[in-house]
Structure formats: structure tokens, C-alpha cells
Amino acid sequence: MKAILPLFIFIDACGWEIIKDDRFCSVFAPNRRRLESVFGYSSACVPSILSGRWPDEHRNWCYFVYDPEHSPFKGLQWLRWLPKAITSRRIVRRWLSKLVKAQLKFRGYFDLYNIPFKHISLFDFTEKKSPLRPGGMNRGTNISDFLTQSGIAHHVSDPTRSEAENYDAMLKDVKTGRIDFGFVYWPELDGLLHREGNQSPEISPKLRGYEERILRLLEAAKKQYAEVRLYVFSDHGMANCDELLDLKARMEQLPLEFGKDYVVAYDSTMARFWFFNDRARRTVAETLRSIPQGSIVPDTELERLHCLFPDRYFGELIFLMREGVLIVPSHMGERPIRAMHGYHPNTAHSYAALLTNQPELPDGVTAIPHIYDLMVRDALLAQEQNRSPRPPKQREKSPAPVFCETPEPTLAFPARVAVADIRGE
Ligand SMILES: [Zn+2]
């Protein structure tokens, strides 16, 4: 029997507001803490959890940026001539995304979302590698680099598989006792919340299903490990979207030309602008200040949120919606969606959650990048204690450490896959 299994279970969008009045995991992970999320979408939150750093350090923030020089999409401009009734359909976009991803050899998650083909050659895509894979961050290292370099036998979910498949795969490895670290990723709750909203009657049964799976993992682990250090956590919550804003229409009324005076990336909950002259900068800022559904995020605030980029790579001006307001249409989706995340991290439904069976959590664990510190701490502890000398006979039988992650996980981490079907992510 081994000494310790650190088991980290990542449930996408299982925010504090979702579980605070629910008994979720209270039997086997009674110690709960609300965590601050990272400003941005999963494209920012997940890399922050995996690296222990913030967007201004790792530079994985928003997917699309104005960068015509490096745009890999120049060959797609001809698609602008196809009828919008075809090219704006999700099924067509998904199919095209797969083709483009294969052609451009992107290793992470990729989706064309709703970027207009007329302008797509102005944009670059910032997540060409998978943030979960060794070397997958835009800058710096991640947990996979750490585990690989430290020689720690681990199992990490493969986001190209379904939740059930990933559960089975983890259960199998836990039963063998071969691993010294486990990381499970379950994205289905995120998809459910996007579709049905945060008051859906389907949430409770989904949480009960997760509890059952976790319990079975714990029972299996107890046969191989003296202690399971369990952490169930999320990256953000989910806010219902009760108000829509057609920001694009407002911008198109201005005496400015997209691509000549300015460029904007319309995410679901924010718009990021780049300007090519002062008139455009002034006119857009004045217009935005007159829109009560959102506000321009000052640099001081972006800096506090660790999302200020001195080179303005992700946009010169960030206009953020009030919680519950959705930009429709946006470059993330043509049609409305019931609920979304990506609002200010201090709004109620942005907060993430951490649930554990450990009686003590360091005081410094207050935001989702700090989950990385727990992963590293416990992986090292398990590595050290699981290597304690055992009787020779038993040692002979022990298999060599096995690295269970897929050799070429196509992950942009975790299956934003499920979310992408819906949009926004
Ligand atoms: Zn999502």
C-alpha cells in the first residue's frame, strides 16, 4: 500500500454560488472555501490554475487578438462570399474549425466561433499549444512540465474523452495504485449551466452524480493508499444572462471604419478595441461611456486583476459588461445563450469554489491560481512518502512509475470542448 494519493477534481463552472447552499461533497470534503476567479474566460482561468500564474505573466488571456502580420487565417477570406445563413451556423463553424485546426497544426483547443470571415485575416489566435501539455503555456511552465520534470507518476484527464470515459480511466489507474498524482477534469456542468441557467432543476442531479463518482474513486483509492488528499474545485461560476446588448450595431453607427480606424474583438461579456487614430479612440470611448450596460475597465483595475499588458496585445481598451448582460451578436456567438461567465471577478457569480477533506488550507489560498501551489505541494509530498522503503518482496512487485497522460493530448485544456458547442467559453 502507498502512503498518499493527491486527487484533484476540476468541475468546470461549479462556482461558489452553485454550491454554497447545497450539501455538495460535504460528507467527504467538508472544508470549503470561496476562491476569486481570474478575469477572462476559460482561456484565462484554466491556464492560470495549471501554471499558478496570472494572465499578465503567462499571456494566455483571450483567444483572438488583432495581429494581421501573424494571422494564420489569410486563406479563409474566400469564405466571406458564402451566405451568412450557412457560415453562421454552429454545425458549419464546428466542421470548419476542425479542418482549420488540423491544417494549422494547432495543438490546443480551437474554434472559429463567430468571427466574420471578412475580417478574420486581421486576427491571430493565441492558444496554438495546449496549456496542459508540457511546454504548452505561452510563457513559463505548467503542472505537466512540473510533474514530468519531477518524475512523478500521474494521471491527467484527456479532454477529448467524455466525462464518463475520463472517470473510468482514472478509476482504473487508482485501482492499480501506480500513480502518485491524479487530476480529473469534468466539463459537463459548464455546458448544462450555459444552456439552462444557474437555477435549473437539472443542477442538483448533476451534482449528485459527481458525488457518486467521487465516492467510488475514494473507495477504490483507500484500498491502495493510506491517505487520499481530495480537492474538488472550479474555475468560475455562472451568471444568468437576462439582458442582451447589440454593441456591434452601436459601433457600426459611428462614422468610423472597421479595419481602417479601429478593430474590435467582441467576446461574450467584453469588447476589446485597437485604434489606428485619435479620432477613433475618442469617438469609441465617448460612445462606450454612454452605454449603461457596461463600463471601460481602467488600467489601474486591469493591473489589479493581473490583466494589464503593456504592449496592449489583447486590446488597448477593454469594455466590460455588467453581470448578466450579454453581447449579442458577438464574435463568440450569433445567438443568445442562457448564462455566461467572464464578468468582473468580484461579481457574485464569478467566484469559484474549493472543497477538500484536508482540515487545514493555507491562508494564502484565496484565488484559483493558488490551486497550483496545492498541486505541487501534495505531488511532492506523495512522491516522497510513496517512495518509502518497503519490504524487498513487495518492491519487486511494484511496477515502475507510469505516466498515464496521453502522449499527444489535444487538449486546450479541459474540454472547453463541451462549452464550445454552446459558445463563449
Ligand atoms: Zn463556460
Side-chain angles (χ1 to χ4, degrees), residues 372-384:
Y372 177 85
D373 303 330
L374 296 174
M375 291 197 283
V376 167
R377 181 192 71 177
D378 284 17
L380 289 172
L381 188 70
Q383 184 186 38
E384 183 200 325

Side-chain angles (χ1 to χ4, degrees), residues 186-363:
W186 287 329
E188 287 181 7
L189 180 65
D190 182 72
L192 170 67
L193 291 167
H194 277 300
R195 280 192 312 273
E196 307 293 335
N198 61 27
Q199 297 299 316
S200 167
E202 293 178 45
I203 297 169
S204 181
K206 189 70 190 170
L207 296 180
R208 306 289 81 82
Y210 285 139
E211 282 171 333
E212 262 177 53
R213 280 186 190 158
I214 295 168
L215 203 55
R216 271 182 259 144
L217 284 171
L218 288 175
E219 280 166 3
K222 279 175 190 161
K223 292 177 183 159
Q224 298 292 337
Y225 302 85
E227 183 192 357
V228 181
R229 296 171 73 100
L230 174 69
Y231 302 87
V232 181
F233 62 97
S234 55
D235 47 353
H236 50 71
M238 187 73 71
N240 285 347
C241 297
D242 294 320
E243 189 174 350
L244 308 179
L245 176 70
D246 189 348
L247 188 60
K248 186 164 159 275
R250 295 289 292 271
M251 290 300 120
E252 287 174 355
Q253 284 168 5
L254 300 176
L256 299 171
E257 193 179 330
F258 186 104
K260 193 173 161 196
D261 297 308
Y262 74 103
V263 161
V264 54
Y266 294 109
D267 298 328
S268 300
T269 62
M270 67 171 132
R272 296 173 287 117
F273 292 85
W274 294 260
F275 301 110
F276 309 129
N277 56 62
D278 279 341
R279 187 176 67 92
R281 186 175 288 111
R282 214 173 37 246
T283 310
V284 167
E286 269 169 25
T287 306
L288 293 176
R289 284 193 193 99
S290 73
I291 298 175
Q293 290 95 334
S295 56
I296 296 170
V297 188
D299 279 2
T300 48
E301 184 63 359
L302 287 171
E303 190 171 20
R304 191 182 76 79
L305 298 172
H306 306 278
C307 294
L308 180 66
F309 301 87
D311 61 359
R312 307 288 164 171
Y313 183 62
F314 292 92
E316 292 175 40
L317 183 156
I318 312 297
F319 185 66
L320 175 64
M321 295 303 114
R322 227 175 41 215
E323 187 179 66
V325 179
L326 189 71
I327 300 175
V328 179
S330 75
H331 289 163
M332 294 289 110
E334 187 68 16
R335 284 167 281 276
I337 187 170
R338 181 68 191 95
M340 194 55 212
H341 48 90
Y343 296 101
H344 192 288
N346 296 137
T347 50
H349 294 279
S350 291
Y351 285 94
L354 172 63
L355 320 174
T356 179
N357 63 357
Q358 298 302 294
E360 303 284 336
L361 273 175
D363 291 343

Side-chain angles (χ1 to χ4, degrees), residues 1-2 390-399:
M1 181 175 261
K2 282 185 170 183
R390 278 176 278 168
K393 212 174 171 184
Q394 195 182 346
R395 221 176 20 229
E396 279 164 25
K397 286 181 182 172
S398 301

